Each structure stands twice: as C-alpha cells, then as structure tokens.
Amino acid sequence: MNTMPTDARMMMAIRVIVVTTLLLVTLIIQYTVTEILPINYLYLVAGLTYLLTLTYIALGRLIRSREINLLIQIGGDLLVETLLVYFTGGLDSPFSFLYLVSIIAASMLLYRRGGLLAASGAVILYGLLGDLMYYGILPLPEQTWFIPTPWTSSRLYFNMATNFAGFYATALLTSLISEKLQKTFKELDANRQNLAELRALNQNVIESIPSGLITISTYGSASFINPAGCQILQTQAHEVLGRHVTELAFFTVEEWSEVREALDGGALVRREKEVDVPGGRRTIGFALTPLRTLDGKASGYTLIFQDLTEMKKLEGEIRLKDRMAAVGELSAGIAHEIRNPLAAIAGSVQVLKNSKALTPQEERLMSIVLKESERLNKTIADFLRFVRPQEKRAAEFDVAASLSETLDLLANSPELQKHEIRREIEPPSFHIVGDADQIRQVFWNLVRNAVQAMPEGGVMTVRTEVEAETYRIVFADSGRGMSRGELQRLFQPFRTSFPSGTGLGMAICYRIVQEHGGSIEVQSWQGGGTAVTVVLPATVSEQGARPLPAARF
Ligand code: ADP
Ligand code: MG
C-alpha cells in the first residue's frame, strides 16, 4: 500500500510526464533536423529524474510525513535544475527560471515556510554554481551550444542579486496568496457546512411538524407542501404542486382576491372551512401569512393548516352534554312536581268513575282523563329514566342474542306493515359486560325510530361486526332521513317529529351507551335514510362506567 500523500504523488507524476515529454520532443527534433544537437546532458538529467523518482517512492514508504516528502522532492528538483543550468551555460543559461517553478510549487504546497526554504535552497545552489564557474573552479561542460561570455564581477553580483530577490519575492508572494486561498477555502467549507446543517434543520422542522404547510408563489400557485399537509388533505405532493390556490379547496376565486388584498395590507388571515377530502368531509382551520425574503421582498404566502374535525366533534359532544345536563336538571324537578298531583288526580277520578250515578257521557270523559294521565305518567317515567337512570346492573351477556330477540319482538309488532327487516348479524354470538335490559332498550328505541321513519314501508338493515374488541351495530333504514339541523338536535330531549313521540328515545340511548363506555354515530341523508351506529366495548372501562353529571340529582 502506498502511504504517500496525494500532492507528493501528483508532483512526482507531473515531473515524470514533463521530463519524458521533453525527452521525446528533443528526440523527434534530433531525428528530423540534420544538425546534430549536443543533448547528451538531457539524457543525464532525465535519467537522474527517473532515478530520483524511484528514490522518492522508496522514501515515501519509510517516511509518512507529507511535509518531509514534499521537501525532499523539491530539494531533488533544485539539484536537477542546477545540473541543467550548469549544462546550458551556467550564468548565461536560459533555464534559471526553473528554480521559480520549484519555489512556486513549494510555496503553494507548504506555504511560507516551504517557499522560503525552497528559495534559500535555490539561492545557495545557484550562487554556488555561479561562483564556482566564475572563478573557473568548475570547468565548462564539454558538450554545450552556449558560447560563454566573459563576465565582469559587477555583472555577476547584479545577476545574483536580481535572481535572489526574484526567488524570495516569488516565495513570499505565492505563499501569501496560497495561504489566503487556504483560509478562504476553510471558511467556505465551514459556511457550506453551516448552510447544510441549517438546511437540514429547516427541512426536519418542516417535515416533522404535525401541521400542514403549503407555500404559495406571488402568482398564487402552490410551490411546496409538507408531508403532514398531504396527509390532512389526503393527497400526494405532485397533485398539489403547481396548482393554483383556488383549486385547492381553501378559497374560491372571489375569496382569494379578497384574502390577497387583506394580506398585502399586512393582515394575517385565519379561517375555518369544511373541505371534502377522499376520506370524507373535514373541518380545516388555516392561517395565511405573507412570505418575505431576507431583504424584505414579497415572495409569496405561507398557508398553515390543521385538521379540526376531531376537535369540533369533541366540542360538539361537550356542548351536548352540558345542554343535556342543564335541561335535565331543570325539568326533572318539574316532572316530579307534576307526577304527584297527577297521581292524586288519576286516583280521585278512578274513585269517581266507580260511582253508580254517572251518565255515559260523564263516564267517557273520565276514561279520557284516566287514559291521558296514564300517557302523561308514562312520558314522565321515560323522562325520569333519562335524567335519573336506574342503577346499572352489569353482568356478562350475549349482546348479539339480545339484538336478535329485539328484532323478533319487532317482527310481531303491529307497526310493521310493508317493512322488510334484513339481519346481517355476524358473529351470531358475542359477549359483553353491561346491563342487558338497558342495552335492549337502546336497540328497541333505535329499531322503532327506523320503522317510524318509514311510514310508507321500506327496508331496515341491522348489520354487526366485531372490530378491535368492540361490537359495532349499524341500524340502517331507507326512511325519510334528517336535515342537518334535525341531526344536530337529535339527542336533545323533547325534540320529536314522530306522531306519538316524546323526543326522549335518542337521549336515553345516548346516556345508556355512554355509560357502557361506547359511542353512537349517526349519518343521515334527507329523503334517503339514516344509519345509526352503536359501538359497544366488550368490557366497560372505568371512565365509561361513570354516570354523567346530569344523572346526579
Ligand atoms: P321520538 O322517537 O320519541 O320522537 P327520539 O329521540 O327517538 O324521539 O327521536 C327524536 C327525533 O329524531 C324523531 O322525532 C325524529 O324526528 C328523529 N329521528 C330519530 N331517528 C330517526 C330515523 N331513523 N330517521 C329519521 N328521523 C329520525
Ligand atoms: Mg324514538
């Protein structure tokens, strides 16, 4: 394995390539021109370079330091260059510029220290060579095509001085630039890293917030949507991107132009809207703010939204509970006050009716009084059951069997004429813990409502299924259905539109199911039918078993 650093290896490769190219070019010239060039020294220089390269490789295996490797190579280069200068005329040689190449390489790779070291090396070698040749200690090489010119001492020193100044100036300037460059690279790297981290953070925040986020361009087209946004709208990003905001269920064209005006005036727009998404109708709350670039230029809008459907449902339930509690408390007192005198009236009339001296007319009137007071008593009994339910006697029972019994009972009811009852009871037996009598009453109220909603006849389907430890029972009828308003008031006591109704059935169902830890969901299409779904857990949780506040008086 070669452990030499990359730049040291690169330097070797470049050197070998340059020398080899030089050699090849010279050889080509040699054989194409008639004049024989005195180039033996070139073979020597090239050979030495190859030899040194092998030495560098060997040293590279021994020495790990990048700096030392590079310094050795630069030292070798300076030696080879001195040799070349010697062969090409010494102080007259045109190749003394090659020192500069080595000094530049050293300054770039090893900065100021390396540059100055290389410059000093060049000064020593070049100075030594110049002096030795000037004083005739080193004879001129045999083979040379440079005719040596006679040198005066002042020319020698001038030549030396300019060259030395050039070497140091090059070393200082190049290292200065490369040090600056290195610093800039480092800073750039750090900035790039910071930017990447910031981007990742932004991305993470946007991807993981539970709210939906859409950015909108100044022209109104969606330019981004986060995963939560796609989930809330039950859509894919590619179906939203590029579409105009008025096609995205939040605004109509008129609303959008009005909203834009408000936004451009600096206002924050907050709204709620019912939106149809593939999974059904959802209530979505959203806020729209202008989006600005760092320098304050308008660059579009951000739309942040949340699915409020569950919250609204919960709010509705709480409101209903409150209302039922208030109504219940007030009217339970009144009902009680009516019941006692009613019992006295009915009792007295019963006694009077038994007297012998009555005309048939009087007897008929008294019968009416008795019948009506009985009906009134029943309504009050129903009502009191609602506001003050009997103690729940919980035991394990077969809820599917109770349902079948209720339907058998209904099948024998005189109310049933052109009605068809479909049973899809699956599984046919399922045990839950609860008050069987109360649950049976829930079933009875619901099936009677379904039948009463179809006075002209129709189909009632009772379908059940087990889902996650709960028993779901759907009572679907093809009756007249309910309007939105009726649906909202469905569980309120005394709201009735059935001829003999009291308006208490659903309120009682609600309370009983609630006390069993279950829930009732109603879907209705006006003129198209109603589906009431009762969900009962197999075992009652502590919370579900707690009676409603309205029951405590
Ligand atoms: P009641 O049956 O005594 O009227 P409920 O509480 O059972 O009282 O029902 C209240 C009202 O809700 C009914 O009068 C009727 O207007 C409406 N309703 C209940 N169930 C249905 C249904 N299956 N289809 C249509 N309307 C219904
Ligand atoms: Mg009813």
Side-chain angles (χ1 to χ4, degrees):
M1 197 185 74
N2 199 339
T3 52
M4 202 183 272
T6 335
D7 40 12
R9 255 185 290 166
M10 187 103 103
M11 219 161 104
M12 277 177 358
I14 292 173
R15 187 181 306 114
V16 167
I17 290 169
V18 168
V19 168
T20 310
T21 316
L22 192 68
L23 200 62
L24 286 176
V25 170
T26 322
L27 283 175
I28 290 169
I29 295 171
Q30 175 83 305
Y31 292 104
T32 47
V33 296
T34 42
E35 192 191 349
I36 302 291
L37 294 172
I39 53 162
N40 283 351
Y41 69 89
L42 196 63
Y43 298 140
L44 182 71
V45 169
L48 191 63
T49 308
Y50 295 141
L51 197 73
L52 282 175
T53 303
L54 291 178
T55 320
Y56 301 150
I57 293 175
L59 282 177
R61 286 177 188 251
L62 291 178
I63 303 165
R64 283 182 157 240
S65 152
R66 163 182 176 271
E67 231 169 88
I68 294 176
N69 268 303
L70 286 172
L71 278 177
I72 289 174
Q73 289 194 30
I74 286 162
D77 283 347
L78 290 175
L79 276 177
V80 172
E81 281 151 13
T82 309
L83 205 63
L84 194 67
V85 168
Y86 169 64
F87 281 119
T88 52
L91 293 171
D92 284 317
S93 168
F95 288 115
S96 57
F97 80 90
L98 282 177
Y99 287 121
L100 292 181
V101 176
S102 291
I103 293 168
I104 291 173
S107 316
M108 273 173 25
L109 296 175
L110 298 168
Y111 308 112
R112 190 175 319 181
R113 222 153 54 95
L116 289 178
L117 261 172
S120 305
V123 163
I124 292 168
L125 288 172
Y126 188 64
L128 207 63
L129 180 77
D131 278 339
L132 290 178
M133 288 177 84
Y134 178 76
Y135 292 111
I137 301 169
L138 195 67
L140 274 183
E142 257 172 52
Q143 190 194 42
T144 173
W145 23 295
F146 298 97
I147 296 111
T149 49
W151 281 66
T152 60
S153 63
S154 58
R155 198 178 152 205
L156 170 75
Y157 292 123
F158 183 69
N159 175 297
M160 295 272 176
T162 45
N163 269 309
F164 294 173
F167 293 166
Y168 281 113
T170 307
L172 286 174
L173 271 178
T174 314
S175 56
L176 192 75
I177 293 172
S178 60
E179 269 170 20
K180 266 230 167 97
L181 213 63
Q182 192 209 20
K183 216 173 117 198
T184 315
F185 275 145
K186 267 192 190 150
E187 277 173 11
L188 206 67
D189 247 17
N191 281 347
R192 204 175 289 150
Q193 177 77 16
N194 282 348
L195 196 70
E197 276 169 15
L198 200 66
R199 259 208 205 132
L201 178 74
N202 262 346
Q203 196 69 13
N204 265 343
V205 169
I206 287 170
E207 306 257 298
S208 46
I209 49 169
S211 303
L213 173 74
I214 294 180
T215 59
I216 299 163
S217 73
T218 31
Y219 306 107
S221 58
S223 51
F224 171 81
I225 179 165
N226 71 344
C230 289
Q231 223 220 320
I232 294 171
L233 298 179
Q234 291 289 309
T235 182
Q236 306 272 315
H238 66 86
E239 290 186 32
V240 172
L241 298 182
R243 298 256 304 264
H244 196 265
V245 65
T246 51
E247 298 171 51
L248 296 182
F250 292 98
F251 306 101
T252 61
V253 178
E254 296 82 53
E255 280 171 343
W256 174 241
S257 62
E258 173 198 320
V259 160
R260 257 181 91 151
E261 242 169 62
L263 283 173
D264 294 343
L268 168 92
V269 175
R270 257 181 217 287
R271 300 224 169 143
E272 253 178 56
K273 191 153 192 173
E274 304 249 298
V275 171
D276 286 314
V277 300
R281 177 164 278 232
R282 318 289 297 175
T283 309
I284 291 185
F286 56 92
L288 205 67
T289 44
L291 189 65
R292 295 196 188 283
T293 56
L294 283 182
D295 43 352
K297 261 194 252 154
S299 72
Y301 311 91
T302 48
L303 177 67
I304 296 179
F305 53 100
Q306 263 136 358
D307 189 344
L308 303 179
T309 316
E310 295 305 316
M311 212 178 80
K312 290 266 152 196
K313 208 168 126 188
L314 223 67
E315 250 178 42
E317 274 173 26
I318 290 171
R319 222 176 303 136
L320 180 67
K321 263 189 207 169
D322 279 355
R323 214 171 316 135
M324 279 170 68
V327 170
E329 206 160 337
L330 183 73
S331 31
I334 299 173
H336 216 76
E337 287 311 304
I338 294 171
R339 227 183 174 186
N340 290 340
L342 188 68
I345 293 169
S348 311
V349 171
Q350 188 67 56
V351 173
L352 285 178
K353 199 175 165 237
N354 291 343
S355 106
K356 299 277 179 292
L358 286 181
T359 64
Q361 170 75 345
E362 284 166 337
E363 203 167 328
R364 203 173 62 81
L365 287 177
M366 282 180 187
S367 296
I368 291 175
V369 171
L370 284 175
K371 207 171 90 218
E372 287 304 306
S373 28
E374 198 180 318
R375 204 165 77 89
L376 189 56
N377 193 35
K378 188 181 158 291
T379 302
I380 292 173
D382 255 4
F383 175 67
L384 287 177
R385 187 156 34 198
F386 158 61
V387 290
R388 198 191 294 155
Q390 299 123 345
E391 198 58 31
K392 197 173 95 201
R393 281 183 297 268
E396 193 179 312
F397 72 101
D398 188 341
V399 64
S402 294
L403 182 63
S404 296
E405 281 162 24
T406 309
L407 292 175
D408 290 342
L409 198 67
L410 182 77
N412 295 320
S413 147
E415 262 177 332
L416 231 56
Q417 290 147 13
K418 285 170 281 172
H419 298 93
E420 185 192 334
I421 295 173
R422 290 194 191 141
R423 301 184 191 199
E424 297 171 17
I425 299 178
E426 198 55 51
S429 167
F430 188 77
H431 287 260
I432 68 166
V433 174
D435 186 323
D437 282 341
Q438 290 188 10
I439 294 294
R440 215 175 275 130
Q441 197 190 346
V442 170
F443 294 159
W444 181 247
N445 287 349
L446 294 178
V447 295
R448 290 225 26 233
N449 278 357
V451 169
Q452 284 175 326
M454 306 185 286
E456 308 297 317
V459 185
M460 175 176 68
T461 311
V462 181
R463 194 171 35 247
T464 69
E465 61 183 352
V466 175
E467 195 188 271
E469 293 287 295
T470 61
Y471 198 61
R472 287 170 68 90
I473 311 125
V474 185
F475 299 88
D477 65 60
S478 60
R480 58 175 173 77
M482 279 174 274
S483 67
R484 248 178 109 77
E486 278 182 286
L487 196 59
Q488 266 168 4
R489 293 186 298 269
L490 177 64
F491 294 105
Q492 287 179 21
F494 301 116
R495 301 261 181 186
T496 176
S497 61
F498 291 147
S500 60
T502 60
L504 282 170
M506 289 305 282
I508 292 172
C509 289
Y510 181 88
R511 175 181 293 285
I512 292 173
V513 172
Q514 187 96 36
E515 281 179 6
H516 280 77
S519 62
I520 302 186
E521 282 161 39
V522 186
Q523 278 179 304
S524 194
W525 301 267
Q526 194 159 26
T530 303
V532 182
T533 309
V534 179
V535 182
L536 291 169
T539 48
V540 185
S541 71
E542 263 310 300
Q543 175 138 37
R546 205 181 305 146
L548 284 172
R552 294 178 175 272
F553 44 77

